Amino acid sequence: MTTIAAVPDLFVPQVLGEHLPVRLPDGREVGYANLDYAATAPCLATVAAAVNDLLPWYAGVHRGVGEASHRCTRAYEQARATVGDFVGARPDDEVVFTRNTTDALNLLARALPPGTVTVLWDGEHHANLLPWGRTLRLPAPASAEEAPAQLAAALARLSDPALVTVTGASNVTGEVWPVAELAAVAHRHGARIALDAAQLAAHRPISLRESTVDYVALSGHKMYAPFGCGVLIGRSDWLDEAPPYLAGGGATAAVSEHGRRVRWHTGPARHEAGTPNLLGAVALAAACTELAGADRAALDRREQALVDRLRSGLSRLPGVAELRQFTAGHDRVGIVSFAVTGVAGGDVSAHLAGRYGIGVRDGLFCAHPLVHRLLDEASARLERPLGDTAVRASIGLGTTTEHVDRLLTGLADLTPARRP
Ligand code: PLP
Protein backbone atom coordinates (compact mmCIF):
# COMPACT_ATOMS: atom_id res chain seq x y z
CA MET A 1 0.00 0.00 0.00
CA THR A 2 1.23 3.50 -0.76
CA THR A 3 2.63 5.30 2.23
CA ILE A 4 2.41 9.06 2.56
CA ALA A 5 5.49 10.49 0.90
CA ALA A 6 7.85 11.79 3.56
CA VAL A 7 7.91 15.51 2.97
CA PRO A 8 10.28 16.83 5.65
CA ASP A 9 9.23 20.07 7.31
CA LEU A 10 6.05 20.22 5.25
CA PHE A 11 3.85 22.89 6.76
CA VAL A 12 0.22 21.83 6.39
CA PRO A 13 -2.09 24.77 7.12
CA GLN A 14 -4.24 23.93 10.12
CA VAL A 15 -7.99 23.46 9.86
CA LEU A 16 -10.39 23.73 12.79
CA GLY A 17 -12.01 20.57 14.12
CA GLU A 18 -9.20 18.16 13.34
CA HIS A 19 -9.81 16.16 16.52
CA LEU A 20 -13.55 16.25 17.02
CA PRO A 21 -14.80 13.39 19.24
CA VAL A 22 -17.68 11.29 17.88
CA ARG A 23 -19.76 9.07 20.19
CA LEU A 24 -20.75 5.94 18.26
CA PRO A 25 -24.05 4.09 18.88
CA ASP A 26 -22.12 1.27 20.65
CA GLY A 27 -20.72 3.77 23.18
CA ARG A 28 -17.17 4.00 21.79
CA GLU A 29 -15.66 7.41 21.17
CA VAL A 30 -13.51 7.98 18.11
CA GLY A 31 -12.00 11.03 16.42
CA TYR A 32 -14.15 12.23 13.52
CA ALA A 33 -12.70 11.24 10.15
CA ASN A 34 -13.88 13.97 7.79
CA LEU A 35 -13.67 12.58 4.26
CA ASP A 36 -16.17 15.01 2.79
CA TYR A 37 -14.03 17.98 1.82
CA ALA A 38 -15.48 18.15 -1.68
CA ALA A 39 -18.91 19.02 -0.26
CA THR A 40 -17.65 21.68 2.10
CA ALA A 41 -14.30 22.05 3.81
CA PRO A 42 -13.56 22.89 7.44
CA CYS A 43 -12.39 26.39 8.29
CA LEU A 44 -8.71 27.25 8.22
CA ALA A 45 -7.45 28.54 11.58
CA THR A 46 -6.06 31.65 9.85
CA VAL A 47 -9.44 32.30 8.21
CA ALA A 48 -11.22 32.17 11.57
CA ALA A 49 -8.57 34.53 13.00
CA ALA A 50 -8.99 37.02 10.14
CA VAL A 51 -12.76 37.08 10.66
CA ASN A 52 -12.39 37.43 14.44
CA ASP A 53 -9.92 40.30 14.04
CA LEU A 54 -12.35 42.25 11.88
CA LEU A 55 -15.50 41.53 13.90
CA PRO A 56 -15.07 44.32 16.48
CA TRP A 57 -14.88 46.80 13.57
CA TYR A 58 -17.78 45.27 11.65
CA ALA A 59 -19.70 48.09 9.92
CA GLY A 60 -21.17 49.13 6.57
CA VAL A 61 -19.08 48.74 3.42
CA HIS A 62 -19.04 51.64 0.92
CA ARG A 63 -21.77 53.39 2.89
CA GLY A 64 -20.42 54.95 6.08
CA VAL A 65 -17.93 57.68 6.92
CA GLY A 66 -16.68 56.62 10.36
CA GLU A 67 -13.43 54.78 11.07
CA ALA A 68 -15.18 51.38 11.26
CA SER A 69 -16.79 51.85 7.83
CA HIS A 70 -13.50 53.02 6.34
CA ARG A 71 -11.72 49.95 7.69
CA CYS A 72 -14.43 47.62 6.44
CA THR A 73 -14.50 49.20 2.99
CA ARG A 74 -10.70 48.87 2.77
CA ALA A 75 -10.88 45.25 3.95
CA TYR A 76 -13.55 44.42 1.37
CA GLU A 77 -11.67 46.02 -1.53
CA GLN A 78 -8.38 44.47 -0.35
CA ALA A 79 -10.14 41.09 -0.32
CA ARG A 80 -11.18 41.67 -3.93
CA ALA A 81 -7.57 42.34 -4.93
CA THR A 82 -6.25 39.32 -2.99
CA VAL A 83 -8.75 36.91 -4.52
CA GLY A 84 -8.00 38.29 -7.99
CA ASP A 85 -4.27 37.74 -7.43
CA PHE A 86 -4.92 34.21 -6.20
CA VAL A 87 -6.38 33.24 -9.58
CA GLY A 88 -3.83 35.23 -11.60
CA ALA A 89 -6.41 37.74 -12.82
CA ARG A 90 -5.45 40.23 -15.54
CA PRO A 91 -5.43 43.93 -14.58
CA ASP A 92 -8.70 44.63 -16.38
CA ASP A 93 -10.56 41.56 -15.09
CA GLU A 94 -13.53 42.15 -12.84
CA VAL A 95 -13.80 40.40 -9.46
CA VAL A 96 -17.45 40.10 -8.44
CA PHE A 97 -18.30 38.60 -5.06
CA THR A 98 -21.22 36.18 -5.12
CA ARG A 99 -22.69 33.65 -2.70
CA ASN A 100 -20.95 30.60 -4.17
CA THR A 101 -20.02 28.97 -7.49
CA THR A 102 -23.65 28.33 -8.41
CA ASP A 103 -24.40 32.02 -7.99
CA ALA A 104 -21.27 33.03 -9.93
CA LEU A 105 -22.14 30.80 -12.90
CA ASN A 106 -25.76 32.01 -12.89
CA LEU A 107 -24.45 35.58 -12.98
CA LEU A 108 -22.25 34.76 -15.96
CA ALA A 109 -25.17 33.02 -17.70
CA ARG A 110 -27.23 36.22 -17.34
CA ALA A 111 -24.38 38.32 -18.72
CA LEU A 112 -23.96 36.42 -22.01
CA PRO A 113 -24.42 38.63 -25.06
CA PRO A 114 -27.64 37.80 -26.95
CA GLY A 115 -27.30 34.83 -29.27
CA THR A 116 -24.40 33.22 -27.37
CA VAL A 117 -24.40 29.43 -27.33
CA THR A 118 -22.84 27.71 -24.32
CA VAL A 119 -20.80 24.64 -25.19
CA LEU A 120 -20.26 22.07 -22.45
CA TRP A 121 -19.81 18.40 -21.75
CA ASP A 122 -22.61 16.25 -20.42
CA GLY A 123 -20.94 15.38 -17.12
CA GLU A 124 -20.87 18.83 -15.54
CA HIS A 125 -22.10 19.53 -12.01
CA HIS A 126 -25.69 20.82 -12.14
CA ALA A 127 -24.36 24.30 -11.25
CA ASN A 128 -22.50 24.34 -14.56
CA LEU A 129 -25.09 22.35 -16.52
CA LEU A 130 -28.37 24.11 -15.83
CA PRO A 131 -27.99 27.92 -15.73
CA TRP A 132 -27.26 28.42 -19.43
CA GLY A 133 -29.77 29.33 -22.12
CA ARG A 134 -28.93 27.88 -25.54
CA THR A 135 -26.47 25.05 -25.03
CA LEU A 136 -24.59 22.62 -27.19
CA ARG A 137 -23.90 19.53 -25.12
CA LEU A 138 -20.95 17.41 -26.12
CA PRO A 139 -20.86 13.71 -25.27
CA ALA A 140 -18.24 12.62 -22.74
CA PRO A 141 -14.84 12.26 -24.43
CA ALA A 142 -13.20 8.84 -24.20
CA SER A 143 -10.12 10.46 -22.73
CA ALA A 144 -9.16 13.93 -21.52
CA GLU A 145 -6.71 14.15 -24.43
CA GLU A 146 -9.62 13.75 -26.84
CA ALA A 147 -11.55 16.73 -25.42
CA PRO A 148 -9.68 19.55 -27.27
CA ALA A 149 -10.17 17.91 -30.69
CA GLN A 150 -13.81 17.22 -29.89
CA LEU A 151 -14.29 20.87 -28.91
CA ALA A 152 -12.49 22.11 -32.04
CA ALA A 153 -14.82 20.04 -34.24
CA ALA A 154 -17.92 21.34 -32.44
CA LEU A 155 -16.82 24.99 -32.57
CA ALA A 156 -15.88 24.70 -36.25
CA ARG A 157 -19.50 23.77 -37.03
CA LEU A 158 -20.95 26.59 -34.94
CA SER A 159 -21.58 29.99 -36.49
CA ASP A 160 -22.97 31.70 -33.34
CA PRO A 161 -20.80 33.34 -30.70
CA ALA A 162 -19.91 30.77 -28.06
CA LEU A 163 -18.90 30.39 -24.45
CA VAL A 164 -17.26 27.07 -23.54
CA THR A 165 -17.62 26.10 -19.91
CA VAL A 166 -15.81 23.28 -18.17
CA THR A 167 -15.02 22.03 -14.71
CA GLY A 168 -11.38 22.17 -13.60
CA ALA A 169 -11.71 18.97 -11.59
CA SER A 170 -14.72 16.67 -11.49
CA ASN A 171 -16.64 16.68 -8.21
CA VAL A 172 -17.41 13.00 -8.83
CA THR A 173 -14.06 11.55 -9.86
CA GLY A 174 -11.53 14.28 -9.04
CA GLU A 175 -10.24 13.97 -12.60
CA VAL A 176 -8.58 17.12 -13.90
CA TRP A 177 -9.62 18.57 -17.28
CA PRO A 178 -7.07 20.00 -19.77
CA VAL A 179 -8.22 23.56 -19.23
CA ALA A 180 -5.35 25.48 -20.90
CA GLU A 181 -5.63 23.32 -24.05
CA LEU A 182 -9.39 23.86 -24.17
CA ALA A 183 -8.87 27.62 -23.73
CA ALA A 184 -6.48 27.65 -26.69
CA VAL A 185 -9.03 25.82 -28.86
CA ALA A 186 -11.87 28.10 -27.75
CA HIS A 187 -9.89 31.23 -28.59
CA ARG A 188 -8.76 29.85 -31.95
CA HIS A 189 -12.44 29.63 -32.85
CA GLY A 190 -13.34 33.06 -31.46
CA ALA A 191 -15.11 31.64 -28.39
CA ARG A 192 -14.58 32.42 -24.72
CA ILE A 193 -14.12 29.90 -21.93
CA ALA A 194 -15.27 29.75 -18.31
CA LEU A 195 -13.73 27.53 -15.65
CA ASP A 196 -15.81 26.02 -12.86
CA ALA A 197 -13.06 25.87 -10.25
CA ALA A 198 -15.30 24.87 -7.32
CA GLN A 199 -13.25 21.71 -6.82
CA LEU A 200 -9.95 22.67 -8.41
CA ALA A 201 -9.20 25.86 -6.48
CA ALA A 202 -8.48 24.25 -3.11
CA HIS A 203 -6.10 21.72 -4.67
CA ARG A 204 -4.21 23.36 -7.52
CA PRO A 205 -2.94 26.85 -8.39
CA ILE A 206 -5.01 28.68 -11.03
CA SER A 207 -3.81 31.42 -13.35
CA LEU A 208 -6.21 33.16 -15.71
CA ARG A 209 -3.22 34.92 -17.28
CA GLU A 210 -1.28 31.74 -17.99
CA SER A 211 -4.18 29.46 -18.92
CA THR A 212 -5.86 32.32 -20.87
CA VAL A 213 -9.20 31.29 -19.36
CA ASP A 214 -11.71 34.16 -19.59
CA TYR A 215 -13.81 33.55 -16.45
CA VAL A 216 -13.43 31.55 -13.27
CA ALA A 217 -16.02 30.76 -10.60
CA LEU A 218 -15.27 29.33 -7.16
CA SER A 219 -16.74 28.93 -3.65
CA GLY A 220 -15.15 29.99 -0.36
CA HIS A 221 -16.67 27.13 1.59
CA LYS A 222 -14.80 24.55 -0.52
CA MET A 223 -11.58 26.49 0.07
CA TYR A 224 -11.62 26.44 3.87
CA ALA A 225 -13.49 29.77 4.12
CA PRO A 226 -17.06 28.82 5.10
CA PHE A 227 -18.64 32.27 5.40
CA GLY A 228 -21.04 32.25 2.45
CA CYS A 229 -18.92 33.91 -0.21
CA GLY A 230 -17.99 32.91 -3.75
CA VAL A 231 -16.63 34.82 -6.70
CA LEU A 232 -16.82 35.30 -10.45
CA ILE A 233 -13.66 36.74 -12.00
CA GLY A 234 -13.03 37.59 -15.62
CA ARG A 235 -13.44 39.83 -18.64
CA SER A 236 -15.25 43.05 -17.78
CA ASP A 237 -16.96 43.87 -21.12
CA TRP A 238 -19.80 41.33 -20.93
CA LEU A 239 -20.32 42.02 -17.23
CA ASP A 240 -20.44 45.78 -17.72
CA GLU A 241 -22.94 45.53 -20.55
CA ALA A 242 -25.26 43.02 -18.87
CA PRO A 243 -28.30 44.03 -16.84
CA PRO A 244 -27.44 44.09 -13.12
CA TYR A 245 -27.67 40.60 -11.60
CA LEU A 246 -29.54 42.07 -8.62
CA ALA A 247 -31.42 45.36 -8.85
CA GLY A 248 -31.01 47.55 -5.80
CA GLY A 249 -28.86 49.93 -3.78
CA GLY A 250 -25.13 49.87 -4.38
CA ALA A 251 -25.56 48.91 -8.05
CA THR A 252 -27.05 52.29 -8.91
CA ALA A 253 -25.13 55.40 -9.95
CA ALA A 254 -28.28 57.53 -10.16
CA VAL A 255 -32.05 56.99 -9.93
CA SER A 256 -34.52 59.58 -11.21
CA GLU A 257 -37.58 60.72 -9.31
CA HIS A 258 -40.12 57.86 -8.99
CA GLY A 259 -37.34 55.46 -10.00
CA ARG A 260 -38.30 55.55 -13.67
CA ARG A 261 -34.79 56.05 -15.00
CA VAL A 262 -31.79 54.28 -13.50
CA ARG A 263 -28.14 54.62 -14.36
CA TRP A 264 -26.29 51.52 -13.23
CA HIS A 265 -22.68 51.37 -12.16
CA THR A 266 -20.16 49.51 -14.22
CA GLY A 267 -17.51 47.40 -12.48
CA PRO A 268 -18.22 44.87 -9.73
CA ALA A 269 -20.76 47.15 -7.99
CA ARG A 270 -23.13 46.60 -10.95
CA HIS A 271 -23.72 43.00 -9.85
CA GLU A 272 -23.30 43.34 -6.08
CA ALA A 273 -26.45 45.23 -5.08
CA GLY A 274 -27.39 45.16 -1.39
CA THR A 275 -25.12 45.06 1.63
CA PRO A 276 -22.17 42.90 0.69
CA ASN A 277 -20.93 39.85 2.58
CA LEU A 278 -17.86 41.53 4.07
CA LEU A 279 -16.89 38.70 6.41
CA GLY A 280 -17.27 36.15 3.64
CA ALA A 281 -15.02 38.14 1.32
CA VAL A 282 -12.41 38.66 4.03
CA ALA A 283 -12.54 34.95 4.89
CA LEU A 284 -12.10 33.95 1.25
CA ALA A 285 -9.17 36.33 0.88
CA ALA A 286 -7.54 34.95 4.05
CA ALA A 287 -7.84 31.42 2.63
CA CYS A 288 -6.30 32.60 -0.64
CA THR A 289 -3.39 34.17 1.23
CA GLU A 290 -2.79 31.04 3.29
CA LEU A 291 -2.94 28.69 0.30
CA ALA A 292 -0.85 30.95 -1.94
CA GLY A 293 1.83 31.12 0.75
CA ALA A 294 1.95 27.34 1.29
CA ASP A 295 4.18 24.93 -0.61
CA ARG A 296 1.40 23.79 -2.91
CA ALA A 297 3.55 21.32 -4.82
CA ALA A 298 4.45 19.57 -1.57
CA LEU A 299 0.82 19.66 -0.39
CA ASP A 300 -0.16 18.10 -3.70
CA ARG A 301 2.41 15.31 -3.26
CA ARG A 302 0.98 14.61 0.19
CA GLU A 303 -2.57 14.59 -1.21
CA GLN A 304 -1.57 12.32 -4.10
CA ALA A 305 -0.04 9.82 -1.66
CA LEU A 306 -3.32 9.74 0.29
CA VAL A 307 -5.38 9.35 -2.90
CA ASP A 308 -3.10 6.56 -4.15
CA ARG A 309 -3.41 4.78 -0.82
CA LEU A 310 -7.20 5.07 -0.94
CA ARG A 311 -7.51 3.97 -4.56
CA SER A 312 -5.15 1.04 -4.26
CA GLY A 313 -7.00 -0.08 -1.11
CA LEU A 314 -10.35 0.17 -2.92
CA SER A 315 -9.03 -1.80 -5.88
CA ARG A 316 -8.23 -4.71 -3.56
CA LEU A 317 -11.76 -4.89 -2.11
CA PRO A 318 -13.91 -7.38 -4.02
CA GLY A 319 -17.24 -5.93 -5.13
CA VAL A 320 -16.06 -2.32 -4.89
CA ALA A 321 -15.79 -0.32 -8.12
CA GLU A 322 -14.28 3.13 -8.48
CA LEU A 323 -16.06 5.58 -10.79
CA ARG A 324 -13.92 7.21 -13.43
CA GLN A 325 -14.30 8.90 -16.81
CA PHE A 326 -10.76 8.71 -18.04
CA THR A 327 -7.94 6.18 -17.71
CA ALA A 328 -7.06 4.84 -14.27
CA GLY A 329 -3.79 6.80 -14.28
CA HIS A 330 -5.28 10.16 -15.25
CA ASP A 331 -4.35 13.19 -13.12
CA ARG A 332 -6.84 13.81 -10.31
CA VAL A 333 -7.34 15.79 -7.09
CA GLY A 334 -8.34 14.18 -3.79
CA ILE A 335 -11.83 13.00 -4.71
CA VAL A 336 -12.77 9.34 -5.19
CA SER A 337 -16.27 7.96 -5.79
CA PHE A 338 -17.12 4.29 -5.70
CA ALA A 339 -19.98 1.84 -5.33
CA VAL A 340 -20.27 -1.47 -3.47
CA THR A 341 -22.04 -4.40 -5.09
CA GLY A 342 -25.37 -5.09 -3.44
CA VAL A 343 -25.19 -2.22 -0.93
CA ALA A 344 -26.92 1.12 -1.57
CA GLY A 345 -24.72 4.20 -1.27
CA GLY A 346 -26.80 5.46 1.68
CA ASP A 347 -26.28 2.19 3.57
CA VAL A 348 -22.52 2.32 2.96
CA SER A 349 -22.24 5.85 4.34
CA ALA A 350 -24.53 5.09 7.30
CA HIS A 351 -22.35 2.07 8.16
CA LEU A 352 -19.15 4.15 7.93
CA ALA A 353 -20.63 6.92 10.09
CA GLY A 354 -22.27 4.66 12.69
CA ARG A 355 -19.50 2.08 13.14
CA TYR A 356 -16.38 4.10 12.30
CA GLY A 357 -17.08 7.81 12.86
CA ILE A 358 -16.40 8.61 9.21
CA GLY A 359 -18.12 11.37 7.21
CA VAL A 360 -18.49 10.75 3.46
CA ARG A 361 -21.18 11.71 0.94
CA ASP A 362 -23.54 9.35 -0.86
CA GLY A 363 -25.97 9.88 -3.73
CA LEU A 364 -25.50 11.36 -7.18
CA PHE A 365 -23.49 14.44 -6.13
CA CYS A 366 -25.51 17.01 -8.13
CA ALA A 367 -24.15 15.44 -11.31
CA HIS A 368 -26.95 12.98 -12.05
CA PRO A 369 -26.28 12.33 -15.74
CA LEU A 370 -22.58 11.67 -15.08
CA VAL A 371 -23.02 9.41 -12.04
CA HIS A 372 -25.73 7.32 -13.72
CA ARG A 373 -23.42 6.76 -16.69
CA LEU A 374 -20.34 6.00 -14.59
CA LEU A 375 -22.27 3.54 -12.42
CA ASP A 376 -23.36 1.70 -15.57
CA GLU A 377 -19.79 1.64 -16.89
CA ALA A 378 -18.38 0.50 -13.54
CA SER A 379 -20.99 -2.30 -13.36
CA ALA A 380 -19.89 -3.44 -16.81
CA ARG A 381 -16.18 -3.43 -15.79
CA LEU A 382 -16.97 -5.37 -12.61
CA GLU A 383 -19.46 -7.63 -14.44
CA ARG A 384 -21.79 -7.23 -11.46
CA PRO A 385 -24.69 -4.84 -10.93
CA LEU A 386 -23.96 -1.89 -8.65
CA GLY A 387 -26.61 0.12 -6.80
CA ASP A 388 -28.02 3.28 -8.30
CA THR A 389 -26.18 5.63 -5.98
CA ALA A 390 -22.49 6.00 -5.16
CA VAL A 391 -20.29 7.02 -2.25
CA ARG A 392 -17.70 9.79 -2.41
CA ALA A 393 -14.63 10.14 -0.19
CA SER A 394 -12.75 13.40 -0.51
CA ILE A 395 -9.49 14.51 0.97
CA GLY A 396 -8.19 17.83 2.24
CA LEU A 397 -5.66 19.46 4.52
CA GLY A 398 -6.83 17.70 7.70
CA THR A 399 -6.93 14.19 6.18
CA THR A 400 -4.54 11.58 7.60
CA THR A 401 -3.39 8.10 6.65
CA GLU A 402 -5.40 6.79 9.59
CA HIS A 403 -8.61 8.28 8.14
CA VAL A 404 -8.01 6.55 4.82
CA ASP A 405 -7.16 3.24 6.47
CA ARG A 406 -10.23 3.45 8.69
CA LEU A 407 -12.41 3.93 5.62
CA LEU A 408 -10.88 0.89 3.94
CA THR A 409 -11.38 -1.20 7.10
CA GLY A 410 -15.01 -0.08 7.30
CA LEU A 411 -15.62 -0.98 3.66
CA ALA A 412 -14.01 -4.39 4.07
CA ASP A 413 -16.90 -5.27 6.45
CA LEU A 414 -19.31 -4.75 3.57
CA THR A 415 -17.57 -6.47 0.69
CA PRO A 416 -18.83 -9.85 -0.51
CA ALA A 417 -15.88 -11.82 0.90
CA ARG A 418 -16.69 -10.63 4.41
CA ARG A 419 -20.48 -10.58 4.31
CA PRO A 420 -22.15 -13.73 5.78
N1 PLP B 1 -19.21 22.95 -9.50
C1 PLP B 1 -18.67 21.87 -8.93
C2 PLP B 1 -17.68 21.07 -9.72
C3 PLP B 1 -19.02 21.51 -7.64
O1 PLP B 1 -18.47 20.44 -7.08
C4 PLP B 1 -19.97 22.30 -6.94
C5 PLP B 1 -20.41 21.91 -5.59
O2 PLP B 1 -20.24 20.83 -5.13
C6 PLP B 1 -20.49 23.42 -7.57
C7 PLP B 1 -20.09 23.72 -8.84
C8 PLP B 1 -21.46 24.30 -6.86
O3 PLP B 1 -20.83 24.88 -5.76
P1 PLP B 1 -21.68 25.65 -4.67
O4 PLP B 1 -22.60 24.64 -4.07
O5 PLP B 1 -20.65 26.13 -3.69
O6 PLP B 1 -22.39 26.72 -5.36
Side-chain angles (χ1 to χ4, degrees):
M1 195 177 267
T2 323
T3 50
I4 295 211
V7 186
D9 301 329
L10 173 60
F11 172 72
V12 180
Q14 195 208 338
V15 294
L16 302 183
E18 274 178 5
H19 305 289
L20 295 175
V22 178
R23 177 73 60 193
L24 301 180
D26 65 8
R28 281 178 302 130
E29 189 176 286
V30 295
Y32 183 53
N34 181 356
L35 289 169
D36 199 13
Y37 279 68
T40 199
C43 188
L44 275 167
T46 47
V47 166
V51 169
N52 273 330
D53 285 351
L54 189 62
L55 271 176
W57 289 99
Y58 183 74
V61 171
H62 295 147
R63 286 161 171 79
V65 283
E67 171 64 14
S69 283
H70 285 312
R71 279 188 187 231
C72 288
T73 300
R74 275 200 306 275
Y76 189 67
E77 292 308 326
Q78 180 55 52
R80 204 188 294 286
T82 302
V83 177
D85 288 346
F86 180 73
V87 299
R90 296 151 292 234
D92 52 353
D93 281 336
E94 238 155 64
V95 177
V96 185
F97 286 119
T98 62
R99 287 178 298 174
N100 46 39
T101 303
T102 305
D103 202 28
L105 292 170
N106 273 271
L107 161 58
L108 182 58
R110 298 248 211 112
L112 297 184
T116 304
V117 175
T118 304
V119 182
L120 47 78
W121 281 269
D122 250 350
E124 291 292 331
H125 186 283
H126 295 171
N128 197 24
L129 190 68
L130 305 179
W132 313 106
R134 289 175 64 209
T135 54
L136 173 61
R137 289 199 189 183
L138 306 180
S143 68
E145 292 69 34
E146 200 181 275
Q150 194 189 15
L151 179 63
L155 291 177
R157 285 194 302 272
L158 201 66
S159 50
D160 298 305
L163 172 77
V164 179
T165 186
V166 66
T167 190
S170 163
N171 69 307
V172 177
T173 65
E175 290 163 315
V176 173
W177 280 67
V179 174
E181 289 88 327
L182 295 173
V185 171
H187 293 146
R188 240 188 345 266
H189 289 83
R192 288 190 178 182
I193 183 164
L195 170 64
D196 171 356
Q199 296 299 343
L200 190 68
H203 299 273
R204 301 280 172 88
I206 292 169
S207 171
L208 294 184
R209 260 192 314 273
E210 284 168 25
S211 64
T212 76
V213 161
D214 298 288
Y215 300 94
V216 63
L218 56 85
S219 297
H221 72 99
K222 294 186 195 289
M223 279 181 56
Y224 309 98
F227 289 86
C229 188
V231 72
L232 174 71
I233 302 172
R235 309 277 182 201
S236 57
D237 51 354
W238 288 2
L239 292 167
D240 280 348
E241 278 157 32
Y245 185 48
L246 296 169
T252 47
V255 182
S256 69
E257 214 182 332
H258 308 304
R260 289 209 183 89
R261 270 178 295 119
V262 181
R263 190 155 50 79
W264 301 100
H265 280 303
T266 54
R270 186 179 189 84
H271 299 293
E272 288 182 358
T275 302
N277 178 1
L278 166 66
L279 297 177
V282 165
L284 176 55
C288 290
T289 302
E290 173 92 61
L291 288 176
D295 182 344
R296 297 196 83 184
L299 289 178
D300 185 49
R301 286 200 294 283
R302 178 182 182 278
E303 179 177 310
Q304 291 302 319
L306 287 164
V307 176
D308 290 351
R309 189 177 182 94
L310 173 58
R311 294 182 67 219
S312 74
L314 290 176
S315 71
R316 279 197 292 274
L317 291 173
V320 173
E322 187 193 346
L323 305 192
R324 58 179 164 81
Q325 295 196 77
F326 304 139
T327 55
H330 185 76
D331 184 22
R332 68 194 64 224
V333 300
I335 299 173
V336 180
S337 294
F338 54 89
V340 182
T341 323
V343 191
D347 292 338
V348 175
S349 59
H351 163 80
L352 294 171
R355 297 273 314 271
Y356 291 90
I358 295 171
V360 290
R361 167 119 186 244
D362 64 79
L364 300 170
F365 319 128
C366 297
H368 295 190
L370 177 64
V371 179
H372 284 310
R373 177 165 62 75
L374 297 187
L375 280 169
D376 287 347
E377 289 174 12
S379 296
R381 277 202 309 275
L382 204 64
E383 294 176 352
R384 275 189 253 174
L386 292 162
D388 50 16
T389 53
V391 178
R392 180 180 73 188
S394 50
I395 286 169
L397 294 173
T399 309
T400 65
T401 314
E402 189 276 326
H403 294 161
V404 170
D405 290 352
R406 207 188 318 166
L407 175 77
L408 294 171
T409 304
L411 288 173
D413 291 349
L414 295 172
T415 56
R418 296 280 285 273
R419 261 182 270 142

